Amino acid sequence: MPHENKRAVGIDLGTTNSLVATMRDGAAKTLADAQGVVSISSVVNYTDPQRVRVGVEAQALASEHPADTLASIKRFMGRGNEDARDEAHRSHYALNDGEQGMVGFETSSGVVSPVQASAEILKALRSRAEQTMDGTIEGAVITVPAYFDEAQRQATKDAATLAGLPVLRLLNEPTAAAVAYGLESADEGLIAVYDLGGGTFDISILHLHRDVFEVLSTGGDTALGGDDFDRLIADWVLTQIGSPELVAGQHRTLLSLARDAKEALSESDDILIPLGEIGTGFDPLSLSRTQFDALILPLVKHTLRACRRALRDAQLAPDAINNIVLVGGSTRVPLVRAAVAEFFQREPLAGIDPDEVVAVGAAIQADILVGNRPEGELLLLDVIPLSLGIETMGGLVEKIVERNTTIPVVRAQEFTTYKDGQTALAVHIVQGERELVADSRSLARFELRGIPPMVAGAARILVSFQVDADGLLSVSAREETTGVRSSIVVKPSFGLSDEQISGMLQASFSHAEEDKNSRILAELCVAAKQLLEGLEVALAADGDDLLKPGEMDALRAQMEKVQAQLTGGNVEALRTASDQLGRDSEAFAARRMDKSIRQALTGVSLDDVSEEVSE
Amino acid sequence: MTTPDFQQSYFQLFSLPRQFALDNTLLGERFRQLQGQLHPDRFASKSAHEQRIAVQYSAFVNQAYTTLRRPLDRAFYLLQLAGMSAEEVSAEKIDGGFLIEQMELREKLESIADLVEPETVLEHLILEIAADIKAHEQEFVAAFTADDISGAASACVKMQYLGKLHREAEQIESGLLD
């Protein structure tokens, strides 16, 4: 195994700003542009079809081309048109009735999806990182709010794929923040991460024990953040000046003035809002911190309610928390800090810049996952933020995986047919805490067909849910008496299909057919080599121990077949051989897992615990 | 999807004695030790096949941990190991006295919002329910140790009733605090 460090980055893809960080000289650092600015505004402009603009450059065009300039894109990620309409109206975007109810913005460069716009931001971060690090990024950890649902996570992953970033893991933002602090101060105990960003609010309760972070519970609101503070100020201003009609560009200016006012009020008790910038005939207006506090108090209280819920889910009292980590620029608002400190009866940590702490944590985790550090250093055990279930009779939801269950998780539940001779069963997968399907989020539907006709209630249909470490779901259904099975990897209704992604990738690369083939071949070769190297190491360590001679020979033979195809240049043959080797080696891999379970608990003698009663 | 075929029980997985009384600290430590080995993040740069198997194993360890950590789930699981399915446990007969007590507690809970000082009354009620749960846990242990599986199942169902009531009371409490 080569010892040189792989290039890995942590990315905070934020509602307002995005950052990229990496390990440099032993510490995680955010990467700045030539001017020394670390964050990129999460704004994309599509006025010129030949050139998509990102960041400040795009921001500068916002007032002039409001419909072409997409900001707060994260709020639209993985949302359907129905969900997004109010949001779009407030932001003055033109929504297109996209395929499958997907959100699409009408711009001068055509219809743009939130996934595509996010990919542009990720590309900008990627190229900044590749310039700084002088080479291709080999792995990225991208952060998402803990409260992001299935569809929103999938959309984020799709955007990364589109931007050509290999995703090691989607990481919950609060967990990333705790990683940033945890490694530097080596704390043990209970941590609350209060994350009030531009567009989302998250509260997470984490348990840190030696090298392991365990997420005990999460809560929050995907549609609450500092932008809402700005909006409240803007609405207040409009009421004060007699609610004049503003055009979209003027509205933008007002919002940006509101943001400046909010930031200034973190330092001063009283400020003057220069409304003249909106247009002639507007006079400056004064706003005090007391007035501002009164405006935002309901929202701040709303966040504390979510804190209380998260604590209850973790079965803890507020004073049980040892550390509070603040994340997000909005935690600079004095009222927010004071309210959090009062609620937890403790002063929050603020050693790391609340705007950078997430990217810093993600970079540390990326460094670990890409394999730059010895194993066993740090482990993150996440939970799913929302319950997953399926629709049953009468439009009711049967929960299969409860919210705040530690992932990965595999759960199965048995169902039956309700009509005589029923040969198919529709499986409708939903997400959320409500009891009615109508109130829940629909994730996917599929059908189990080919059930032999039986009397109602005789079929035994086992529906299994599997959620991986990224929080992404796959569901399968099997009729137990006959073994008929059907499964689906949940591509949420509002995400992109694999075909759409590869279509977009092709469009963006516009490679000739051979080029595309050679890229696929190159990717396959890398994967196959990885498989072979991994197996060599595994065989050397455990081959004699865990494999019978015949099994070892068979595995070796298949390895040689793959080896032979590495240089053959035949995509299909290499794929077939690699897939076969993967399947052949599964049993061996499973035995190794069993062995490592036994080894993990060595030193624990079974005799010690046989019959004694411990309390 | 192949599921790891663990022959061992959750207790064996964590090398803990098969009984209701449990050392939570030890369970937590061993859980983290195992996840330290098996979690898919440990295989992030390995082949897709290894990653998939890691997901299965890691999920099994999570399932085992969650089941043993929660007293009610642990009781159900012990009964399951003793050959009793969840349905059979739920069908176990409960004495009428307990059910009447339950109804009374429930009525108290439903009328709590009308009281002058609901918080104080509710707090007492929650403590009362929690003490009741503990008492039935003891009932479970006594019956289970004496191989009275039916008695243990009955205690388990009572724990379940009370647990539900406890959650509802907590929800009402959070509503009052908001």
Side-chain angles (χ1 to χ4, degrees), chain A residues 338-399:
Chain A
V340 171
E342 194 197 1
F343 178 79
F344 289 103
Q345 298 155 42
R346 184 180 292 271
E347 279 304 316
L349 291 175
I352 306 177
D353 185 327
D355 284 321
E356 296 184 21
V357 62
V358 166
V360 164
I364 295 170
Q365 182 66 2
D367 194 50
I368 295 170
L369 291 183
V370 84
N372 283 346
R373 301 181 179 201
E375 280 186 286
E377 236 194 284
L378 177 74
L379 188 65
L380 305 176
L381 298 172
D382 274 346
V383 298
I384 60 161
L386 296 166
S387 300
L388 296 166
I390 69 173
E391 175 172 357
T392 61
M393 292 275 288
L396 294 177
V397 178
E398 169 104 26
K399 283 184 192 162

Side-chain angles (χ1 to χ4, degrees), chain A residues 404-423:
Chain A
N404 287 328
T405 299
T406 310
I407 52 176
V409 61
V410 178
R411 280 287 150 81
Q413 194 135 325
E414 209 169 84
F415 293 90
T416 187
T417 48
Y418 55 93
K419 272 193 213 148
D420 287 342
Q422 186 178 342
T423 55

Side-chain angles (χ1 to χ4, degrees), chain A residues 169 209 214 305 308 312 369 375 378-379 381 407-408 411 466 530 582 586 590 594 600-601 604 609 614, chain B residues 1 13 15 17 21 30 32-33 35 39 41-42 45 49 52-53 55-59 62-63 174 178:
Chain A
R169 171 89 123 90
H209 183 89
E214 195 179 346
R305 271 198 289 280
R308 195 172 294 129
R312 179 156 348 96
L369 291 183
E375 280 186 286
L378 177 74
L379 188 65
L381 298 172
I407 52 176
R411 280 287 150 81
Q466 177 180 304
Q530 203 176 34
E586 246 171 55
D594 283 331
L601 295 184
V604 178
V609 292
S614 50
Chain B
M1 255 190 245
L13 178 70
S15 295
R30 291 186 182 161
R32 285 182 283 271
Q33 260 176 306
Q35 287 295 11
H39 195 275
D41 278 359
R42 292 282 181 258
S45 50
H49 290 272
R52 214 178 63 217
I53 291 169
V55 168
Q56 302 278 339
Y57 273 73
S58 179
N62 277 334
Q63 171 79 43
S174 86
D178 281 349

Side-chain angles (χ1 to χ4, degrees), chain A residues 264-295:
Chain A
L265 281 170
S266 292
E267 307 295 329
S268 323
D269 293 333
D270 231 314
I271 54 127
L272 212 54
I273 308 174
L275 292 185
E277 289 179 23
I278 299 176
T280 48
F282 293 101
D283 296 325
L285 191 65
S286 88
L287 176 63
S288 72
R289 188 188 285 170
T290 318
Q291 283 171 305
F292 172 60
D293 286 354
L295 286 177

